[in-house]
Amino acid sequence: MDVVQVFRVARMSTTSPTPVGTYSLTDLPPISDKGKRKSDLQSESSQWQPPPKQQYKCMAGSQSETQGLSDVKEIMRCVSERLHGRDKLSAFLRDKIKDLETDKRHLVGVFGRTGAGKSSLINAIINKKGLLPSGTLSACTSVMIKVEATSGSKYEAHIEFITKEDWENEVQSLKLALEDDDDDHGGNDDFLDPDGKLSALYGEEWKERSTHSLMDNKYFRDIPEFRMSKIKILESDSAEGLSEEIVKYTRSDSNEREEEEVKRWYWPLVKCVTVKVPDNDFLDHVTLVDLPGNGDCRSSDKIWTGFVASCSTVWIVTEMNRAASEKEAWKILEDASGLLGNGGKCQQIHFICTKSDNEKPDYVNKVKSAVMNEFKKRKLLKDHFSEDCFKVFTVSSTEFLKGENVNPDLNEIPKLQEILKNLNDARSKTLNYVSGAHGILSLIQGARSGEVVEQKNDVCAVLEGNLSIQLNRVKKAIEDITKAFEQRLREGVEKSQNLCERKLRSFLYPSKMFGRAFHKMLQSAVRNDGVQKPKRGKTKDLNVILASYLTESIDEEFRKTFQNNIKCGHFNGAIDAFSLSTDSLIAKYKDVELQLTFLQTEEKEIKTKLNKTILTQKKLIYKSLTETIKNNMKEGYKEAASFQGPGTLKNMRDTVERHVHSKMDMFEEAKSVMLKQLNDLKETVLRTLKETMKESIEHSLKTEACSLPDVSEHLEVVKKHYDELHDGQDEKNNHTGNS
C-alpha cells in the first residue's frame, strides 16, 4: 500500500461478506448504559439503541481518509457529551478530548527582488491565474500578502491597517525630516518622499499641508475601516476580480499612479493583506506569504521579523539567467539567515529559478549546480543550515498556466505543489487525532474495571520509578549542553571585548559614505535604536554587529542542539529518548493494558508538544544576545540623537563610541542572560514532563471511576482505524527510507 489511508467503516450484513451500505453516524455503536445511575438511564432512554452485531470493512480512497477522520471525531464528540460526571477523571477526559483538535498552519515565505516573478509563481502554484497582481518592473509589492484557503465559495481579501495614530506619527516624522533637508537638497521630491508614501496617498497636497490637516477624514473616506481600526474585507467571484480590487492596497507603481481611475493609493496604510482562496487543496493548513525585502516592506521591522521567524519553509525567487550571480537574492537570504535558522524555525530553503521556458536540460543542470556551489561558499548560511536543507528548482509560471505539456524535470512547479501537500501532511494529522482518540477511549474502558487494584499499585510503582530515572537523564543531557554553550559564550565574550572596536568603527566610519549623506544615515540610526535603513542597500543594525562575535561563537552548537526539523529532536534527542517503557509493562500486566495504552499516547503527545514549545522558545533564546546589547545601548543612542547644529556628526560618533567603551560588561551580561534562559527552558521541560505524566498516571491507575460509559464498541472501531493508519505510516516510512 503506497498511501496511508483512514478507511471509512462499511456496515456489513451478517449473512453477506460484501458491504450493503455506507457507514453513517446513525450506525455508530452506542455507548452502553452499564455503570450509569438510574437517572442517567431515564434521561437517555430515547437515544440510540444497540444495533445488531456489526462487522467493519475498510474502504480505500482519499475521500474515505477524510470521512474516516470525520467519523472518529463524531465518536469523540458523542463520548464527550456522555461524560456527565463532575469527578476529576471525567473533567480530565473532557479536556483531553478538546486537546485533540489542533489547527497548525505552516508558513511558506516567498522572497525575491522586484520583477523576479514571485506573484506569478504563487498564482501558478495554486492554479489561480491572475490572483495576485503582477506587472511591470516599476511595480513593487509593498505590503505582506498572505495567501491561504477558505471554506467559503468566494475569493476574499482581509486588509489590516496600521492605526491612525501610527500613521500620524509617521507623517509627522516625515514632515520634520523634510523641513530639515529641504534647504540641503533643493526640494528634490525623490529625496523628500523617497518611499513615495505621501505622494501615493495625498498626491501633491502633502507638500503644502500640515500634519494635522493631512489627517482629515476626507483622505480616508473610502476606507472607514482605517478610521475605526477594523479589518476591511473585499469579496469577488473570481481571482481576477479580487486582484483588481486589491491593487491599490498592495502595490506601489509610479506608472499606474498616473492612471485616472486610481485617485488614491492606500498601501502606505496597510499592515498586511490576507487573500483567501476557495477550494484549494494546496493551501490546506499552509499559508504562502509574499514577503518584500525588509527595506521594501511597508510593515514595521517587528512585524516583518515575526513573520520571517515563523516560516517553516522559504522560497527565494530569482530569474534563471542570473540565479547563481544574483546578488540581491543572496543578500535577502543572508540578511534573514539568523531569523530563519537559529533564530527561527525554517526547515527548508528552496532557491527557485524562474523563466525556464525552452531551456535545455544540460543548461538547467548547469544552473542548479552553480547555485548549489554558491550556497556552499556562503559561511553565514552554512552556520544556520545544512546542505540537506537547501534545494534548487527551475520553473516557468507562464508555461504552466498556459496548460501546456511541461517537462517536470525542467518546469518543477508540480514538485513544489507536492511539497505543499507534504507540508499539509493530512495523514499525520489524522494519525495524531486517531491515536489520541484511541488512547482516551482505552483509558475510559480500562478505568471501568476496578478489580485489579494490586496490579495497578505494582504498575504505578514501576512507572513512578521509571519517571524519576528518565527525568534525571533529561536533566543531565540538558545541563551538559548548557556547559558547552557556556564555554562557547565565554570565548565569544573575550573576542567581543577585544575586537568590538573594529566592528564599531566600520559602522561609524564607512569607507564609501562621507559628509552629510552619512550624517543623515547615522542620525536615522541613533533615532531608531541603532538600526540604519537606507533607501537602497543593506539594512545595518549596530546591535547585531556588536553581538556578532557572541552569535558566531554559538551558531554551530545552537543549530545542532535546536534543529528546526522537529523529527530530529531537540537537545540532541534527549526529549525523544524519554520513555516510561510502557511496551514492556503491557506484556507483563495484561489487566491494565488499556491504561498503559493511554499512557503511551500521552507520552508521545507531551514529547511532540515539548518539541514545538522548544522550537518557539529557542528563537527568543538566540535573540536574547542581540536584545541585551540593544538594551544596554539605548541610553547612548538617546544621547547621540539629541545633538543638533554644527558638529553633530562628530558628537554622535564620539557619544556612541564612548558609550560602547563604558559598557564592555554588556557582553558578559548577554552571556548570563542566554544561560539563564537555557536553564529556564530546562526547568520548563522537566516540570512539564513530570507534571503531565504524574497526572496521567494518577488518573489512569489511582483515580476511582464513578460513572464512565461503556465505550468498548467505539474503541473497537477506532482501533481498526488506528491499526490501519499505523501500518500505512510504517510502510510510508520504509518507502521513504529506501528511496
Side-chain angles (χ1 to χ4, degrees):
M1 184 170 61
D2 293 328
V3 180
V4 181
Q5 297 166 329
V6 179
F7 298 117
R8 196 177 184 195
V9 180
R11 190 176 182 182
M12 304 292 294
S13 166
T14 56
T15 59
S16 171
T18 56
V20 296
T22 307
Y23 178 72
S24 67
L25 297 180
T26 56
D27 296 323
L28 286 168
I31 297 175
S32 171
D33 296 319
K34 294 177 183 178
K36 291 193 176 182
R37 296 184 297 271
K38 184 176 180 180
S39 58
D40 293 331
L41 295 173
Q42 291 172 343
S43 66
E44 296 180 9
S45 60
S46 61
Q47 297 186 17
W48 296 341
Q49 297 299 316
K53 181 76 174 174
Q54 299 179 36
Q55 292 178 318
Y56 300 100
K57 182 178 177 67
C58 294
M59 293 165 42
S62 59
Q63 185 176 0
S64 298
E65 180 179 307
T66 303
Q67 186 60 53
L69 177 60
S70 177
D71 289 344
V72 174
K73 286 186 175 184
E74 180 62 16
I75 286 175
M76 299 312 292
R77 185 189 67 79
C78 295
V79 170
S80 181
E81 287 180 354
R82 285 161 177 76
L83 291 170
H84 302 301
R86 296 185 178 181
D87 56 288
K88 290 182 179 179
L89 182 54
S90 294
F92 174 78
L93 289 165
R94 286 194 295 268
D95 288 341
K96 288 296 174 186
I97 293 174
K98 288 179 185 176
D99 289 344
L100 289 174
E101 292 287 356
T102 58
D103 185 25
K104 178 188 174 185
R105 301 196 70 84
H106 288 274
L107 288 183
V108 178
V110 186
F111 295 83
R113 66 174 181 81
T114 300
K118 290 182 299 172
S119 298
S120 297
L121 174 65
I122 293 174
N123 291 342
I125 289 289
I126 62 174
N127 279 324
K128 298 295 179 183
K129 183 178 181 179
L131 176 65
L132 297 187
S134 58
T136 64
L137 288 174
S138 62
C140 174
T141 301
S142 298
V143 302
M144 282 179 288
I145 303 178
K146 297 192 292 182
V147 183
E148 57 189 41
T150 177
S151 57
S153 60
K154 291 182 177 292
Y155 293 84
E156 300 175 8
H158 293 224
I159 301 167
E160 184 180 357
F161 297 100
I162 63 174
T163 66
K164 192 172 182 179
E165 292 74 18
D166 284 345
W167 177 241
E168 185 170 6
N169 290 337
E170 187 164 355
V171 172
Q172 178 70 22
S173 177
L174 284 169
K175 295 283 282 183
L176 287 174
L178 302 183
E179 290 172 6
D180 292 340
D181 295 330
D182 193 27
D183 292 338
D184 297 322
H185 299 276
N188 184 309
D189 288 352
D190 288 338
F191 186 87
L192 300 182
D193 187 21
D195 296 321
K197 297 175 185 176
L198 298 178
S199 299
L201 185 59
Y202 299 112
E204 298 297 308
E205 295 182 38
W206 65 269
K207 298 176 182 177
E208 308 297 332
R209 296 183 178 272
S210 67
T211 299
H212 179 74
S213 63
L214 291 175
M215 292 299 109
D216 193 291
N217 284 340
K218 71 178 183 179
Y219 296 111
F220 318 110
R221 190 173 293 121
D222 294 337
I223 47 170
E225 296 86 353
F226 169 69
R227 302 199 308 270
M228 296 183 288
S229 296
K230 292 184 177 180
I231 291 177
K232 185 178 185 69
I233 299 178
L234 303 174
E235 290 185 343
S236 178
D237 292 325
S238 68
E240 293 81 1
L242 187 70
S243 179
E244 292 176 4
E245 290 287 321
I246 66 174
V247 168
K248 67 176 69 176
Y249 300 98
T250 61
R251 296 172 74 78
S252 58
D253 187 333
S254 59
N255 294 333
E256 290 179 329
R257 193 180 301 140
E258 295 170 3
E259 297 179 6
E260 292 184 2
E261 64 268 24
V262 180
K263 301 296 183 183
R264 207 175 297 283
W265 294 78
Y266 296 118
W267 59 264
L269 306 176
V270 176
K271 182 187 295 183
C272 178
V273 174
T274 302
V275 174
K276 295 181 176 284
V277 183
D279 301 324
N280 200 284
D281 293 338
F282 299 117
L283 297 175
D284 186 21
H285 298 289
V286 170
T287 297
L288 297 175
V289 188
D290 187 343
L291 281 159
N294 195 6
D296 300 325
C297 188
R298 159 57 258 184
S299 302
S300 69
D301 287 343
K302 187 176 181 181
I303 297 169
W304 188 86
T305 55
F307 270 109
V308 173
S310 298
C311 290
S312 58
T313 300
V314 163
W315 292 354
I316 303 294
V317 183
T318 186
E319 293 180 24
M320 186 161 180
N321 61 1
R322 54 193 297 180
S325 60
E326 171 61 79
K327 292 182 179 179
E328 189 165 350
W330 291 106
K331 184 178 80 70
I332 289 172
L333 186 52
E334 287 188 326
D335 286 353
S337 60
L339 289 170
L340 294 168
N342 287 340
K345 56 193 291 186
C346 182
Q347 299 175 26
Q348 304 175 79
I349 298 174
H350 296 152
F351 205 95
I352 301 174
C353 309
T354 62
K355 304 177 183 178
S356 66
D357 319 50
N358 304 317
E359 298 292 357
K360 302 296 183 185
D362 288 347
Y363 178 70
V364 168
N365 291 331
K366 183 179 178 181
V367 169
K368 285 187 172 184
S369 296
V371 172
M372 196 68 208
N373 289 333
E374 186 64 28
F375 170 77
K376 293 176 182 178
K377 296 176 186 176
R378 306 250 170 186
K379 183 181 181 304
L380 182 58
L381 297 179
K382 294 292 292 295
D383 285 343
H384 293 272
F385 301 100
S386 67
E387 290 181 21
D388 292 340
C389 298
F390 188 85
K391 291 183 173 59
V392 186
F393 297 86
T394 56
V395 303
S396 170
S397 303
T398 303
E399 182 183 65
F400 187 84
L401 288 169
K402 283 180 180 178
E404 299 174 354
N405 292 327
V406 298
N407 183 339
D409 293 326
L410 302 180
N411 192 347
E412 297 179 289
I413 285 179
K415 292 181 182 178
L416 292 172
Q417 290 176 325
E418 188 64 26
I419 286 170
L420 289 187
K421 285 185 176 180
N422 290 336
L423 281 177
N424 287 333
D425 203 5
R427 298 183 187 104
S428 291
K429 292 180 176 67
T430 299
L431 177 58
N432 289 340
Y433 188 96
V434 175
S435 175
H438 177 239
I440 293 168
L441 294 177
S442 296
L443 175 56
I444 293 174
Q445 197 60 28
R448 287 171 50 82
S449 56
E451 301 84 19
V452 287
V453 175
E454 186 175 343
Q455 276 210 358
K456 286 184 176 180
N457 290 338
D458 290 346
V459 173
C460 272
V462 175
L463 288 170
E464 288 169 353
N466 288 349
L467 178 59
S468 178
I469 292 170
Q470 290 297 310
L471 289 174
N472 284 332
R473 287 179 179 174
V474 173
K475 180 181 179 182
K476 183 178 185 307
I478 297 177
E479 287 176 347
D480 288 346
I481 289 168
T482 302
K483 288 178 183 176
F485 272 106
E486 185 172 9
Q487 176 59 34
R488 303 287 186 279
L489 286 168
R490 190 180 298 119
E491 295 167 2
V493 169
E494 184 178 350
K495 202 169 183 180
S496 298
Q497 292 173 337
N498 292 335
L499 301 175
C500 73
E501 178 70 22
R502 185 187 307 169
K503 297 266 189 182
L504 179 61
R505 290 191 68 81
S506 70
F507 181 87
L508 295 176
Y509 300 89
S511 59
K512 296 181 180 180
M513 189 175 291
F514 307 96
R516 182 166 295 278
F518 181 68
H519 174 195
K520 304 311 295 182
M521 292 300 301
L522 183 58
Q523 193 170 55
S524 172
V526 296
R527 289 175 176 174
N528 195 34
D529 286 340
V531 181
Q532 192 181 89
K533 293 182 65 175
K535 171 61 179 173
R536 295 178 180 84
K538 182 178 178 180
T539 296
K540 292 183 178 180
D541 186 335
L542 181 55
N543 309 297
V544 172
I545 292 170
L546 291 173
S548 60
Y549 288 123
L550 287 169
T551 54
E552 288 168 8
S553 71
I554 53 107
D555 272 339
E556 184 178 354
E557 191 74 30
F558 204 93
R559 179 166 62 85
K560 288 191 298 184
T561 302
F562 301 108
Q563 300 203 30
N564 286 343
N565 185 349
I566 292 180
K567 294 178 182 178
C568 296
H570 296 300
F571 288 118
N572 299 340
I575 306 300
D576 290 347
F578 176 90
S579 173
L580 297 183
S581 302
T582 47
D583 278 336
S584 60
L585 291 174
I586 286 174
K588 185 176 181 181
Y589 299 98
K590 284 293 183 182
D591 287 336
V592 289
E593 178 179 356
L594 291 174
Q595 290 93 324
L596 290 169
T597 298
F598 168 72
L599 289 174
Q600 275 187 328
T601 306
E602 280 293 276
E603 183 184 294
K604 179 181 177 183
E605 180 66 21
I606 193 58
K607 289 194 289 187
T608 299
K609 286 183 177 179
L610 270 177
N611 277 324
K612 291 177 181 177
T613 298
I614 293 168
L615 189 58
T616 298
Q617 288 299 114
K618 69 103 172 180
K619 295 189 289 185
L620 301 177
I621 293 172
Y622 187 78
K623 189 180 178 182
S624 69
L625 295 174
T626 302
E627 286 296 304
T628 302
I629 300 301
K630 179 179 176 181
N631 291 335
N632 274 273
M633 289 296 298
K634 279 188 174 182
E635 186 181 338
Y637 295 142
K638 184 177 179 181
E639 183 182 351
S642 66
F643 291 109
Q644 294 180 346
T648 296
L649 177 58
K650 182 178 185 304
N651 289 332
M652 288 191 294
R653 281 171 165 159
D654 291 347
T655 299
V656 172
E657 279 190 284
R658 186 170 61 250
H659 189 78
V660 170
H661 294 154
S662 71
K663 288 284 186 177
M664 281 297 174
D665 59 345
M666 65 183 173
F667 302 110
E668 183 67 35
E669 182 184 339
K671 167 194 151 191
S672 299
V673 169
M674 173 172 271
L675 291 176
K676 181 181 183 303
Q677 291 191 5
L678 282 169
N679 186 67
D680 290 345
L681 181 57
K682 177 195 74 175
E683 295 300 326
T684 298
V685 167
L686 294 173
R687 183 174 62 253
T688 302
L689 284 172
K690 182 178 180 180
E691 292 178 356
T692 301
M693 295 316 298
K694 279 192 71 174
E695 182 185 36
S696 296
I697 292 169
E698 179 86 21
H699 286 300
S700 299
L701 299 165
K702 292 184 179 181
T703 304
E704 183 180 350
C706 294
S707 58
L708 296 177
D710 182 351
V711 295
S712 55
E713 293 188 44
H714 287 79
L715 177 58
E716 182 182 351
V717 172
V718 174
K719 188 176 187 305
K720 287 179 181 290
H721 285 281
Y722 172 74
D723 289 342
E724 192 69 43
L725 275 166
H726 202 271
D727 291 344
Q729 188 70 26
D730 287 343
E731 187 170 333
K732 176 188 174 186
N733 291 339
N734 291 336
H735 176 74
T736 302
N738 295 329
S739 60

